[in-house]
Amino acid sequence: RTNGSPSAQTEQRPMSVTFDKDSIARFRDLVADARRIVITCHLAPDGDAIGSSLAMAHLLRGMGKSVRVLTPDEMPHALKMLPGTKSVMAWSSFGAHAERSVADADLILCLDYNALYRTSRLEPFLRASQAPKVLIDHHKEPEDFATVAFSYPDMSATCELCTLLIEACGWWPLVTTEIATCLMAGIITDTGGFHYNSSNPELFDAVARLMRLKVDKDWLMRCLVDTKSADSMRLEAYALSQKMEVDADAHAALITLSRDELNEHHYKKGDTEGLVNKPLAIPGVVYSVYLREEADYIKVSMRSLGDFPVDLLCKTHYSGGGHLNAAGGEFRGTLRQAVDIYHSMLQDNKKLITEKALHYATR
Ligand code: 5GP
Ligand code: MN
């Protein structure tokens, strides 16, 4: 998806998505035949993963299904205000019970991830399960494991895709304010509150239909975009004032946070959400890299402007992936090694800086 410069118009996705009729029919049949449905999403679930999972859970429960939402690990505190999060089961806390749910499922939905390894410790159990699996996702290069796959990388969010899919399946009359709220949460999360990756008019048509169901958008924006704890604000201030390295010549910025630095600032999961976007505000910066030291890996996050492909960088250098303008990875090495890789790629990356990227970066 491009970002709305006049020249980008022709590159947008077709005006309306048409789903494969056969896939829709098979999805409907799988749902009709299922009694126990398990919904899964990726490790370190974000608002799109949780929003789409909860929306589908509410919808399917409305059809009388028994539904269990399983996440590989705990969701960030900031998402707990979404309707239905109390019944979400994190694998990290309910291993054996979660395992049984997967084994007993007669349908598994795979939301907001393109490959089973993204579910971390859920992966072996999902692979072992004989239940049909339906993939609903907007990441590139889906792994071929699903019985039915709805893979639409041009969509802004899995929640946008779910909105269209629910309509295509004829389930729109079942969509409640709660469901619409969860779907909006995912769209807001993956577009940074409509800041990026949201230039397609179709998205706003879908948003308008959700808004008609009385979604409190301002509340969602406050909860998802404009809320920050004092600790997290101080950590962000520290990162930006002490740990941000800007290379004007390379159009790049780097922020690193070590375990010690995180601990000093009472870091909690999700506290640096959004930090990687900040350096993109600096005129001339086309891409931003954030390296966070976790217990046994380095969490890599990258964001970019225009057509600068951070998914490619994450894939090539940090065995990760993602989208053109927002990507990440888990690097198995030290923070020092991850930083060295960053510095070693700067020169080469200059080849990837286009006029279009600079159009967004230069003011
Ligand atoms: P974030 O920086 O918010 O963690 O991730 C941004 C995007 O990058 C996510 O939406 C996801 O698509 C992708 N991503 C993050 N971590 C990984 C990873 O470890 N592997 C892959 N393939 N993609 C990732
Ligand atoms: Mn997503």
Side-chain angles (χ1 to χ4, degrees):
R1 185 80 60 83
T2 51
N3 284 337
S5 70
S7 62
Q9 291 299 323
T10 51
E11 295 166 40
Q12 284 176 358
R13 78 163 194 249
M15 274 304 281
S16 47
V17 176
T18 43
F19 292 108
D20 173 52
K21 274 205 176 64
D22 207 46
S23 302
I24 294 288
R26 285 170 75 203
F27 181 36
R28 284 179 50 92
D29 287 347
L30 288 173
V31 167
D33 293 344
R35 224 161 46 81
R36 279 173 303 214
I37 302 177
V38 161
I39 297 179
T40 60
C41 64
H42 57 76
L43 184 74
D46 58 8
D48 194 30
I50 296 295
S52 57
S53 296
L54 291 175
M56 293 311 288
H58 288 303
L59 182 83
L60 294 166
R61 282 183 191 128
M63 297 176 185
K65 309 291 175 184
S66 161
V67 183
R68 166 69 70 203
V69 176
L70 282 183
T71 57
D73 55 350
E74 295 288 342
M75 74 180 82
H77 176 76
L79 295 176
K80 298 224 165 121
M81 79 322 166
L82 288 174
T85 53
K86 280 203 178 67
S87 64
V88 172
M89 191 180 271
W91 186 266
S92 44
S93 317
F94 295 94
H97 202 88
E99 206 171 302
R100 229 174 3 258
S101 300
V102 172
D104 291 346
D106 32 40
L107 177 63
I108 297 176
L109 301 191
C110 306
L111 299 185
D112 202 36
Y113 64 90
N114 60 345
L116 287 174
Y117 84 89
R118 297 280 289 128
T119 65
S120 182
R121 48 200 129 187
L122 267 169
E123 177 180 359
F125 304 100
L126 292 176
R127 287 205 189 280
S129 159
Q130 298 295 308
K133 298 178 189 71
V134 177
L135 175 143
I136 304 175
D137 178 51
H138 69 137
H139 295 90
K140 282 184 227 166
E141 299 169 13
E143 179 186 342
D144 184 18
F145 67 85
T147 319
V148 181
F150 297 99
S151 170
Y152 289 82
D154 285 346
M155 294 273 170
S156 296
T158 295
C159 280
E160 181 191 7
L161 176 54
C162 284
T163 304
L164 303 189
L165 208 49
I166 289 168
E167 289 173 315
C169 287
W171 296 331
W172 192 255
L174 300 175
V175 177
T176 59
T177 300
E178 280 186 334
I179 296 173
T181 298
C182 294
L183 293 169
M184 272 294 282
I187 293 171
I188 287 172
T189 298
D190 272 20
T191 61
F194 303 101
H195 270 64
Y196 46 78
N197 195 27
S198 47
S199 291
N200 197 305
E202 290 275 295
L203 171 69
F204 292 90
D205 288 339
V207 165
R209 294 194 293 280
L210 293 172
M211 289 299 295
R212 285 195 190 96
L213 296 172
K214 303 202 173 2
V215 173
D216 190 347
K217 189 238 346 149
D218 291 2
W219 173 73
L220 277 176
M221 288 289 228
R222 234 200 96 58
C223 295
L224 297 169
V225 186
D226 302 322
T227 301
K228 227 174 211 328
S229 71
D231 276 341
S232 131
M233 223 180 271
R234 291 195 176 96
L235 176 57
E236 183 169 298
Y238 166 75
L240 293 174
S241 71
Q242 307 297 312
K243 303 302 308 285
M244 182 175 67
E245 186 183 308
V246 180
D247 188 323
D249 184 53
H251 300 282
L254 171 71
I255 292 173
T256 63
L257 288 174
S258 69
R259 229 37 250 164
D260 286 346
E261 290 168 322
L262 293 163
N263 290 338
E264 271 164 37
H265 289 88
H266 320 288
Y267 172 79
K268 283 185 299 301
K269 211 177 165 65
D271 272 359
T272 56
E273 197 65 54
L275 175 62
V276 64
N277 291 297
K278 297 284 165 176
L280 291 179
I282 302 164
V285 171
V286 166
Y287 65 108
S288 162
V289 178
Y290 167 40
L291 304 172
R292 183 178 71 237
E293 188 177 18
E294 292 288 337
D296 47 1
Y297 62 92
I298 305 301
K299 167 66 195 167
V300 180
S301 274
M302 294 197 204
R303 299 291 185 272
S304 70
L305 301 175
D307 54 5
F308 187 91
V310 283
D311 53 342
L312 180 73
L313 297 189
C314 283
K315 194 171 159 184
T316 311
H317 300 285
Y318 297 105
S319 60
H323 310 282
L324 187 71
N325 295 135
E330 283 155 24
F331 174 70
R332 306 280 155 179
T334 64
L335 186 55
R336 187 68 251 164
Q337 288 168 329
V339 171
D340 288 345
I341 290 173
Y342 166 82
H343 285 122
S344 70
M345 71 183 183
L346 284 183
Q347 194 60 27
D348 234 27
N349 289 348
K350 284 191 199 168
K351 291 200 282 279
L352 300 170
I353 309 261
T354 62
E355 276 307 310
K356 183 169 167 178
L358 291 173
H359 168 72
Y360 289 95
T362 313
R363 272 163 290 175

